[in-house]
Amino acid sequence: MSVLLAVPVKDLVNAKQRLIPALSPPERRELARAMLEDVLEAAVAALPGAVLVVTIDPEVQAVVRAAGALCLAESANRGHTAAVAFAQREAVARGAARFLTLPGDVPCVTAQEITTLCGALVETPGVVFVPSRSGRGTNGALLAPPDVIPLTFGEPSFENHLKTARAAGLTPHVLDLPGIGLDVDAPDDLPVLLERGPATRSARLLRGFPSGARPAGAR
């Protein structure tokens, strides 16, 4: 296996807590599922047979299987960083030469962006990072080999990952990919989703929610 793409996903019931001011609990759950489906569609198209979702949630596992991806079951929700570390170890065990991780809440990601990201790393050892829209988070990380550095998420993870890579003697490459960069996490991300990804499952779902459930400016 040349590359393994890992997508950590916590249970849908507790997903997207920061969207509480904008969306009801059922809406948050539906949106989290739709975003995962958008991500998996792009991921499986770009890397068939190499997409692994780390989760404890049986509903998520069903979505993953329906999308043609693989599941790596966690015993508990240990957080994004622990889930990625778990997947890195799995990539090493499976003999992957490279490890790529993306979050499950970047619904505007495209297969072409994933292909571009994979093609940006030409040397080994090496690392490529895609920052979040804010520039503080890390929404994409490509490592060769899979355990070349540890990954730690939560802002300001982007700057921290650059420092970690340089401390390991690596020259990190940075790509600005707008689909991967947009993680839908807060109410002000919702209008951006509608603008950038109108054809995604997530945007279609969001447009169907009651207008009062969306922030001002969303259509």
Side-chain angles (χ1 to χ4, degrees), residues 146-167:
D147 57 355
V148 67
I149 61 168
L151 295 170
T152 304
F153 294 88
E155 295 183 354
S157 69
F158 180 66
E159 185 61 33
N160 289 341
H161 283 142
L162 296 181
K163 291 177 180 178
T164 299
R166 290 170 183 143

Side-chain angles (χ1 to χ4, degrees), residues 13-211:
V13 172
N14 296 307
K16 298 293 136 195
Q17 296 292 310
R18 289 176 61 190
L19 290 175
I20 287 175
L23 302 176
S24 69
E27 288 170 340
R28 294 198 310 274
R29 180 173 182 162
E30 289 178 44
L31 182 60
R33 176 173 177 144
M35 290 195 293
L36 175 59
E37 289 172 341
D38 284 328
V39 170
L40 291 178
E41 180 179 17
V44 171
L47 296 169
V51 180
L52 186 68
V53 176
V54 185
T55 188
I56 190 176
D57 188 343
E59 182 179 354
V60 171
Q61 293 173 8
V63 171
V64 171
R65 288 190 290 269
L70 307 170
C71 287
L72 182 60
E74 288 190 291
S75 58
N77 275 325
R78 297 175 296 168
H80 194 98
T81 295
V84 170
F86 185 24
Q88 284 180 273
R89 294 191 295 272
E90 183 69 15
V92 171
R94 294 184 181 216
R98 296 180 172 195
F99 175 80
L100 171 61
T101 185
L102 300 173
D105 62 354
V106 288
C108 295
V109 63
T110 64
Q112 182 57 52
E113 282 190 334
I114 295 172
T115 300
T116 297
L117 176 52
C118 289
L121 185 56
V122 295
E123 74 275 7
T124 301
V127 294
V128 182
F129 299 116
V130 180
S132 65
R133 185 166 68 103
S134 70
R136 292 175 55 79
T138 307
N139 283 10
L142 176 65
L143 312 180
D147 57 355
V148 67
I149 61 168
L151 295 170
T152 304
F153 294 88
E155 295 183 354
S157 69
F158 180 66
E159 185 61 33
N160 289 341
H161 283 142
L162 296 181
K163 291 177 180 178
T164 299
R166 290 170 183 143
L170 304 173
T171 300
H173 299 275
V174 175
L175 286 183
D176 182 12
L177 297 171
I180 294 175
L182 176 60
D183 53 311
V184 179
D185 198 43
D188 62 0
D189 296 322
L190 298 178
V192 185
L193 165 59
L194 293 174
E195 178 185 354
R196 291 190 184 177
T200 62
R201 290 179 182 83
S202 304
R204 294 198 302 269
L205 179 69
L206 184 59
R207 285 195 297 268
F209 289 161
S211 59

